[in-house]
Every structure is written in structure tokens, then in C-alpha cells.
Amino acid sequence: MSSPNQRRFGGVVLVCALAGSPLLTTSAAGAPGPASPDSTIVEVTVTEGTNLAVTTSPADGTMVMDLQGQLFSLPRAGGKATAIGADNLDPYWPTFAPDGSQVAVQSYAYGSFDIVAISPDGKTTRQITKGDADDTYPTWSPDSKQLAFTSDRAGGEDIWVVDAAGGEPRQVTKGAGSEEQPTWAPDGKSIAYVQGATVESVDLATGAVRTLVPGGQGFTSAPSWSPDGKRLAFLRSGQAGRTLSVLEDGIVRQVGKYTDVFPFPPRWTSPDEVVYGANGKIAATTVSTGVDRAIPFTATFTLRRDNYLRKEHDFDSRRPQQVRGIVGPALSPDGKSVVFKALNDLWLQPVAGGAPKRLTDDQFYEVDPSWSRDGKQISYTSDKAGSPDVYALDVASGQSRQLTKAPGGEVASAWSPDGRTIAYQDQNAQTFTLDVATGAATRVLGPLNVPGRPSWSADGKTLAFTSSVAERNQILLLDVASGTTRTVEPGPFGSVSTRGDDGPVWSPDGRWLAYSMNGVLWVLPVDAKGAPTGPPQQLTTEASDAPSWSGDSKTLLYLNNGRLRTITLDGGKPRDIAVRLTYAQDKPETKLVIHAGRLWDGVREEPYTNVDILVVGNRIQRIEPHKDNRPRPGWTFIDASKQTVTPGLVDMHNHQEMKSKFMGDRQGRLLLSYGITTTRSTGDPAYRALEDKESLKAGNRIGPRFFATGEMLEGSRVGWEFARPVRDEQQLAVEQTRIRELDYDLIKTYQRFRVDWQAKAAAYGHKLGIPTTSHYLYPAIGHAVDMKEHLAGPTKWGFGFARESSFGGTYDDVVQLAARGRMPFSSTLFSAGSTLVDDQQIMSDPRVRALMTPQDQAFLNQKLKCALGQGPCGFLDGNAAQARRDVGLIRRLIDAGGTVLAGTDAPLDIIAVSLHLNLRAMAKYGLTPYEALRSATILPAQQLGVEDDLGSVTPGKLADLVITGGDPTKDIAALADVRSVIKNGRPYTVAELAKPFAG
């Protein structure tokens, strides 16, 4: 067991001594101050840049460079770069004003993309545009008095203009498509911009539009007029790379030798020379001759990494623990009972107090209980018949009957007011209605992007649920008869907290919709069809989720960080419902002797041979040379004399609850059957994750150990259903209570979460002893964030751009910052699917046939056909060349002293199988099997802060072991040949794991 007094974790935070601006300062961002005794200072000097952007001053040639999200100033000839501006400016697309007085950037410092002007020395910063809209890609007018930019403030992406002094922007274009990346013509009369694959120009006086660069092969971007207006430079990308092109006299030609030109406008230093970022360098090209030169630079980052006491994980105690993982609670119509899911079963809790009654008592997966309006029945989903189906439970008798029998999964059931119809959703996010008497199902909507649970209007004619609309969780109203839909904002530019159990829930009298927004409970007055009749009203100030109504529409039940509470519609103090439900950790009393022909212990490169591993309870007691005459009474012997024992595997990037409703009991069994004994969530619905974690700890569900988190902390715009939009610092404080009281093991911040809030989240997490991770290398590495997900993942700028990987790859700045700053990356090698060419019989694997859902089998088969070149490839699929390049980066990171941890992003990649594909790609394209194995065993244990308990086969550690055929230290593919797995001292054969679903 790890003790907080023994476990410290080294982490690094930016402390560049920058001149503060009146709006953006390091202290205002919440970034740590000078180094403390528990911090480590590292200076990293780089001479290459990945996706660097550069702009030049027409006044004196001074350059300003955006390198990894930090602005630097450097002389015209290059040399030593000086950091300027606050470290939380989060800049993009820098551009000098023609008079050299200011640099405009697209900044995310305020929670949306805004146009910000900064002085060339970085001492003053001024926000020019404000609001919830995204204002992007600034360009100056020739007289330096105005800025043009792209904005979605009118709904689409159009060109707008604003005075440099500020004020109300005015719209310039209103095209049907997206107009973006403007460049102002030197005569001030027109603005060119990208529209699709073309470059167009709009006349500012007449509004007339003409095409400058017609669409051609590849993608066109980043146009830039020369000072004399005779040439237009732009970028064109295709399979061969991204190159610099110039339009002159109506003719387009490529100039320069660089094939990895970074996706920012080339900046003209004269009518015949452009400066830009390419191939890791600041490049300058003479357009008339095509002669290139590199402008050298050095840029130094000063990093501080936190060393902090890690959270204690008690793996041995049998003391009772209070259940917090309460999922989908629903108040009975009479207001006297609450049904909910916890510890892998459904429970009925009296509101007046007392012990809850267990409604189901089995190993199957149940979810989404819902009351009939008369209170006599509860519908729910269970996988007891092999796949998730909807059942109806008679409350008086306790008997259940199956209502749906489709081959996929049916979840999120909701009774109509008359009790004759149930609405539900399937695995394709389609919504159906079911005639309870006849069993006839009718599709009424979908598919959608993971909608929330449906709720009926009082007259049974309309369904309300949360849907993703314009990057917000809005209320969608469906007229069931006609199929027409309408969208309602939960609040001005607001979002329902999550697309799950957070509403909207219609009051039985039809007058209100209740939901969680900004992390707290709100009600919206509506008419019979759901149209608002007034503004939303806030009911609570504490973390509030999963609302449900009493039958008289006067009381709301909700979850507050694992506690059941009620509040009346007219406000007042919330009241607690005491839930006397506890669990104890599963700890077997077994005594095992495992005779291992080979033991790879996770430490040595070569395996031991012919040893006995003695396990008592849940821990490894001893490892000794094999003895044929060992006494047998009281011991269970496992013969692995012709096999290899390894530590259990860890998937360090997993969204375990994303498909848990549709995987049910299969998911944990499938993971174990492939030797995965530990998973770490990097974003999941908080209550489902905690229920899963508690059920696994209690032994009520079969599956790996689960290091869980809640929803990813996101900005005001949200895409994933398991991301939680955070609007302001008041809400951030509410979310921090959820992190603490729901016992998160990790804080995950997502794409649009502000940099200064990310710093605060990291500092808060470290006080609790838990790490933080994100999709960003910098400034995250300068703000105490512990880890980065993906070698190069999606960012706030979209899938097409990441600061850590350009079109042509990754340069030394990323490698040095990650390695010397001690920031691990997760692998998430989607390109590893290409290694399925080496495993063409995978579809016949008994684990695939028994434990994968039909939908996941089809997904795996599609990936196999893609790898074989026999079928289409999905958006995230990669080829062998990409896998080779990805593993090449892993090789460089490791050689520089960095760490890469095996993670999959499942179920976006194939559950369980993808971890083995990651390891196979690593070993195939540059790592030794030993290095690949460590990325899924001891190194994750160290990052999780549990290396005293997990990660290697060592006396005293937990007995999480895999027994495989073959020797994975020589052939990594042998690792998937799992014969049996031992988790927490309990052995399972693959056949035992698959048995409930086999045949």
C-alpha cells in the first residue's frame, strides 16, 4: 500500500520573467511564483520549432515568433529570442501592424477566440474584440487603423472588420460557405480570403467578389499580399507535403524548397522576399529566384515542475466505505422512494430514511431506471439476455419482464404519462418509441451526437432531451407525431452540464424543464410544447446533477457529489436523503502457486526461468526457484511451466464509460481476457465512472482496476458528451468540489479550457495529490500539468493543427521540452491498426466472438479490411507509414530521456485489442519488446503513483499477472496469447471470462 508520506511525484511550470500587461499577467493566471523547495527548475533551449509562426515589422525588421504558444521577439537576422507577453496569452496567427507599433494575435486568454493587440516588447496588451463568438485570423489594414478577421458571430464564418481602437465590428462577407484567413490588399480597397479550396477577394466598396486562386489539387490556405500588391503568397498542401506558392500575373507557381511549410501566412519583408516557418526553421525565400535561407534562432523556456505528495490508494483495507457512485436516481411519483443504480445493482431508497432495498442481485449490468407515472413499474436496461435490453419491473412483486429484444442495445427508457409507451435510445443514438402492449417499436429521431435521456411532456406529445447543437448542449424538443424538432437554449450561450442524466426533465404538470447548467440546478418555465415562457431560474448553488421530479411537480431530487438531496420548486434549503449503503473492498483468501516457465518481472530485460510465484490473498508473497515437491494442502496450483508470466497490462488512455451502457458486463471481461488489469480514464461521466470503480473494488463487477476521473473540464463550447463546459471561475470552484468529493484519480482538462484555469486546476489537483493531463505540451508544461495525451491530438484549433506535430512531423523543440520537462505522452497509436495485416485471423478469436458486441466486431473487421487494403478506412485509421513515423517520434522521445505510456483512446479505437496493436507497432517500427512492455506496465504504475503496488512482479506487490503463450520479450505478439489472468489475486481463465456470453 502506498503511503502519502512515502510517495512524491515530480512534475515542471513556466516562470519566464515577463513584463506584465495590464490585462494578462503571470500572477493573474494563477501560475506559481518562484521555485519552492518542492519544485524543480529546468531551462530548455531550443533551436528548432514545430509549427512556429513568424511575423516581421515593416518598420525595422524585428521578428515576433509564436513558438509553442509563447511569443518571442528576435532581431531581423535571427539569434537569441526574448520571451514577450504573458504566458497565458495563448496566442495564434501573429501579425505586425504596417506601422510596426503593434502585433495582433488571435488569443484564447478570455475563454473564446478574441483579437488582441500586444506591443512589440510585450509590455502592454489590449483586447480588441470580446464576447462569446470566435474571432480568428487577424490581418491589418494598410494604415494600421483597422483589423479584418474571421468570425462566427453571425452564425457562419464570415469576414468582419473592427477599428484597431475597438468598437463594434462590422460584417464584410455573407457567403454560403466559410470565409477565413483574410489578408488586406496594400491599396486598402479589398480583402482576400480562403473560401473552400479557393482564394477569393471582396471589394470593400461594392461587395463584389472575384476568384484569385481557383481550386486545385490539395488544400489552399494562409494567403498574404506582397507590399506592392503584385504577388499573393499562399500555401498549398497535398500528399507530398505543404509548400509555398505565389500568384503573379494570374499564374501560380511553387517557390522555395521546403515541403513542410507551417500553416501560417508568409510575411513579406520586401516585394520579393517572404519569411515563414518551415521544416523546423525560420525560413526566408526570394520569390523571383526561389533561393532559400534559414534564419537561426535560440529560444529558452524556463520550466518549473511540481513535486507533490500523491494521493494514497488503499488496496487492502476491508473497512466499510460509503457508496458515492449513485447513477441515474429517480424520485418516485409519490415522493416517498428513490430508485438508483449502485454497486452493479438497482436499489430502492426510502426518502424517510432506512436501508435501501436491493431490486436486482446479479452479476449483470443494469442502468437507467425510470418510474411509470402511476409508480407501479420501473423500466431499466439490463444485459442479462446477452445484450442491453429494456425491462419493466413490477415494484410490488419484484418481477421483471423483457420489453425489447433488438440485437444491439436499448437504453435511456422513459415512460409516457399514460403508461402505454416507452421512449428509448439505441447504440446508434437513435430515439424510438415502444408500444408496451404490442412490443412494436418506431424510430422517431436520429441518429444524433449522443443525446441525453428523453423526457415526456405532460400531454405525451413531445420529447425533450439534450442534444449537441452549435458546440453547445442545448434542449431539443421533438414532436413525436410529426418528427419535427425545435431547439431551446437553456440559457444565453449556455449548455446543459452533460448530455447524460443532467436533463432536461419535464415536470409532470408540464410547466417546467429542470436541468443542470453551469454545474448547478435550474428550472425553465415552458408551455405545453416546451417553448419558454420566461427566463431560467437557478435553484441551487452547489454541484447538482441528475434532476428528477416528484409527481406533484413541487419537489426536485438531485445528486450533490454523491449525496441525494431534494429541493422544493420555490427554493429553500436543500434536504438530504440518507443513503445507508456501504461496500468493502474485495480481498480474496486464496493461496496460489504459479509455476512460471518464464517470468518477465517488469524490471529486468531478460525473463527469469522456471520459478514459482506464491500469492497469498491479493499480494505476491515470494518468488522462488521452482520446487516439484512443494506442499500442496491449502494451495491452488497453476501450471504455467510452458508459458510466460508478466505484470498485468495498463491502458493509460481509456474512456471506459463512453460505451459502458452498450458493452455492459462484457467490457471488463474483454479487457481482462487480453491481460489488461488496470485502466485509467481520461474523461468519463463522473457518476458512471465512480459506480464502475466502486463496483470493481467491491468485486461486484468483473474487470480491471479503474483509476477514474469525471467529465473533462472544457470551455464554453463542448463537443464530447463526457466533457463539462465551465463558464466562469465561480463554476470552476463548484467543479473543484466535485473533483474532491467524488474522489477523482485524475483531472483532465480539454481543448477549450482556459490556460489560467488549467493552472488553477493543476494546483488544486496537486493539493489533493492527483495529477492533471491535457492535450497541450505548452504552456501546460509551464503550468504544472503532469502529462500530455496523444503524440499529437485534437486541439482548440481543430484536428488539422497541433503545436506538437506539423504536416511533416515533430521537431526538436517538442522532444526537448517533453523529455527535459519530464512530461510523459500517451501513445494512442491509431495508426497501429495497420499491424492487423500480421493478425488476419483475429476475427475468429474466441474473445472477439464472445465478448465484443456485434457493432464492435464490425468496427474491428472494418479496421482489418482497411489494413489489408480491402475496404475503406475510417477517419482515425492510419497506415504503416504513419505508424512508422509515430513510433519514430516515440523513439526520439525515449532517446532524449522522455517517457511514452501505452494508451489507446478506446472505445474510439478497438477496446482491449488496440493496446496490443500499440505495443506491436512500437516493437515493429523501432522499440525493443522490453521498451514496449515497460510502456504498459511499470512506467504507467509510476505515473499513477502506485509503483509500490503495481507495474512489476515483485514480492509485496499486488498480484495482477498475465499468463501468456510464447515469450513476449522476444515476440511482442505473444502477449495477446493470454491463457489466464490474475487480478488482485483472483485467477480467471479466458474461457471463464467469456462463458456468460459464449455461444
Side-chain angles (χ1 to χ4, degrees), residues 552-822:
D552 61 7
S553 301
K554 294 180 179 180
T555 302
L556 277 161
L557 172 81
Y558 65 96
L559 276 170
N560 166 242
N561 297 344
R563 293 176 287 267
L564 288 175
R565 286 187 169 170
T566 60
I567 191 168
T568 57
L569 187 59
D570 57 3
K573 186 177 180 180
R575 298 180 59 184
D576 285 325
I577 298 175
V579 178
R580 300 210 313 262
L581 185 60
T582 62
Y583 71 95
Q585 286 194 106
D586 177 49
K587 189 174 181 181
E589 298 180 358
T590 54
K591 297 171 70 176
L592 307 177
V593 177
I594 306 161
H595 176 197
R598 289 174 298 273
L599 165 64
W600 181 71
D601 64 355
V603 180
R604 286 166 36 105
E605 190 162 354
E606 293 296 322
Y608 293 95
T609 57
N610 202 30
V611 298
D612 288 340
I613 305 166
L614 280 68
V615 175
V616 176
N618 64 340
R619 291 192 177 265
I620 300 167
Q621 185 184 72
R622 300 192 305 278
I623 301 174
E624 301 174 346
H626 173 64
K627 297 179 181 177
D628 287 328
N629 59 349
R630 192 178 296 277
R632 288 181 173 267
W635 293 83
T636 298
F637 279 69
I638 298 175
D639 182 9
S641 58
K642 297 182 180 179
Q643 294 151 0
T644 302
V645 176
T646 75
L649 305 179
V650 183
D651 184 345
M652 281 291 282
H653 187 120
N654 186 291
H655 300 285
Q656 192 155 306
E657 306 313 315
M658 189 175 178
K659 293 178 68 174
S660 61
K661 286 187 179 185
F662 303 106
M663 288 290 293
D665 191 44
R666 295 172 187 258
Q667 180 165 240
R669 293 171 177 270
L670 178 63
L671 289 162
L672 283 181
S673 74
Y674 276 92
I676 300 167
T677 57
T678 297
T679 59
R680 184 192 70 153
S681 166
T682 50
D684 269 314
Y687 284 100
R688 292 222 308 270
L690 184 54
E691 188 276 336
D692 202 357
K693 178 180 174 180
E694 291 178 347
S695 294
L696 290 164
K697 288 174 68 176
N700 291 6
R701 182 171 298 142
I702 293 175
R705 299 180 190 278
F706 189 25
F707 290 83
T709 187
E711 292 85 9
M712 306 180 294
L713 297 181
E714 179 61 296
S716 60
R717 302 194 187 201
V718 62
W720 294 106
E721 71 278 9
F722 52 88
R724 188 177 284 270
V726 180
R727 296 291 302 278
D728 53 36
E729 297 209 21
Q730 183 178 0
Q731 184 187 348
L732 180 59
V734 169
E735 301 308 327
Q736 288 176 339
T737 68
R738 187 178 281 107
I739 291 167
R740 181 183 70 251
E741 296 181 31
L742 294 184
D743 194 29
Y744 285 21
D745 296 316
L746 174 75
I747 300 173
K748 169 76 175 290
T749 65
Y750 205 53
Q751 296 173 192
R752 283 175 167 258
F753 197 65
R754 282 171 43 172
V755 168
D756 55 339
W757 294 354
Q758 189 180 66
K760 291 182 177 182
Y764 184 77
H766 291 175
K767 289 179 181 178
L768 300 177
I770 62 175
T772 306
T773 190
S774 77
H775 281 196
Y776 299 107
L777 171 61
Y778 188 91
I781 196 171
H783 284 177
V785 176
D786 297 272
M787 185 173 164
K788 178 185 177 297
E789 302 306 319
H790 314 289
L791 299 177
T795 68
K796 64 172 71 74
W797 306 284
F799 277 91
F801 174 79
R803 295 190 189 275
E804 296 82 34
S805 182
S806 71
F807 201 104
T810 298
Y811 295 92
D812 201 48
D813 56 331
V814 171
V815 173
Q816 293 304 318
L817 283 168
R820 297 189 60 194
R822 303 197 309 276

Side-chain angles (χ1 to χ4, degrees), residues 40-264:
T40 302
I41 298 295
V42 179
E43 286 195 345
V44 180
T45 299
V46 302
T47 59
E48 286 189 337
T50 305
N51 277 332
L52 66 85
V54 64
T55 184
T56 60
S57 171
D60 60 9
T62 297
M63 291 186 288
V64 167
M65 171 178 61
D66 171 10
L67 179 62
Q68 291 300 326
Q70 174 65 57
L71 294 180
F72 290 88
S73 175
L74 64 163
R76 166 177 203 156
K80 184 177 180 180
T82 301
I84 62 170
D87 64 355
N88 63 337
L89 180 61
D90 209 358
Y92 185 75
W93 211 264
T95 176
F96 252 110
D99 63 8
S101 63
Q102 301 173 86
V103 176
V105 297
Q106 166 188 326
S107 169
Y108 199 76
Y110 308 98
S112 60
F113 287 122
D114 300 300
I115 307 304
V116 170
I118 184 170
S119 61
D121 61 5
K123 292 183 178 180
T124 61
T125 305
R126 185 168 50 87
Q127 186 180 1
I128 296 174
T129 66
K130 301 178 181 180
D132 291 314
D134 277 347
D135 300 329
T136 57
Y137 309 122
T139 184
W140 291 92
S141 63
D143 60 6
S144 302
K145 294 182 179 181
Q146 300 180 86
L147 283 153
F149 58 96
T150 297
S151 181
D152 63 359
R153 57 184 59 221
E157 288 190 313
D158 305 294
I159 305 300
W160 294 66
V161 170
V162 67
D163 290 340
E168 192 65 27
R170 53 197 180 276
Q171 191 170 357
V172 173
T173 67
K174 298 181 180 180
S178 295
E179 293 91 38
E180 56 185 14
Q181 303 180 2
T183 177
W184 214 306
D187 62 8
K189 296 180 180 180
S190 64
I191 295 174
Y193 53 86
V194 173
Q195 209 286 339
T198 69
V199 178
E200 295 180 346
S201 178
V202 59
D203 186 288
L204 294 176
T206 66
V209 174
R210 63 191 179 100
T211 298
L212 301 178
V213 180
Q217 293 184 347
F219 181 75
T220 301
S221 62
S224 176
W225 280 113
S226 64
D228 59 8
K230 295 180 179 180
R231 292 167 169 161
L232 182 73
F234 62 94
L235 310 183
R236 183 160 274 169
S237 56
Q239 290 187 347
R242 186 186 291 114
T243 56
L244 174 65
S245 293
V246 169
L247 170 70
E248 183 177 9
D249 296 329
I251 299 173
V252 173
R253 61 187 176 90
Q254 180 181 329
V255 297
K257 65 184 180 183
Y258 296 106
T259 58
D260 189 19
V261 179
F262 301 146
F264 305 99

Side-chain angles (χ1 to χ4, degrees), residues 22 27 146 186 192 218 270 300 375 417 432 480 501 531 534 593 601 744 811 878 961:
S27 59
Q146 300 180 86
S270 74
T300 299
F432 293 79
V480 176
D501 295 334
V593 177
D601 64 355
Y744 285 21
Y811 295 92
L961 309 171

Side-chain angles (χ1 to χ4, degrees), residues 466-508:
T466 301
S467 180
S468 178
V469 181
E471 298 181 285
R472 286 182 286 152
N473 295 334
Q474 300 191 48
I475 298 169
L476 196 67
L477 300 170
L478 167 70
D479 182 271
V480 176
S482 68
T484 58
T485 60
R486 294 171 292 129
T487 300
V488 172
E489 282 191 319
F493 210 82
S495 279
V496 176
S497 292
T498 68
R499 299 199 303 278
D501 295 334
D502 277 338
V505 182
W506 224 310
S507 62

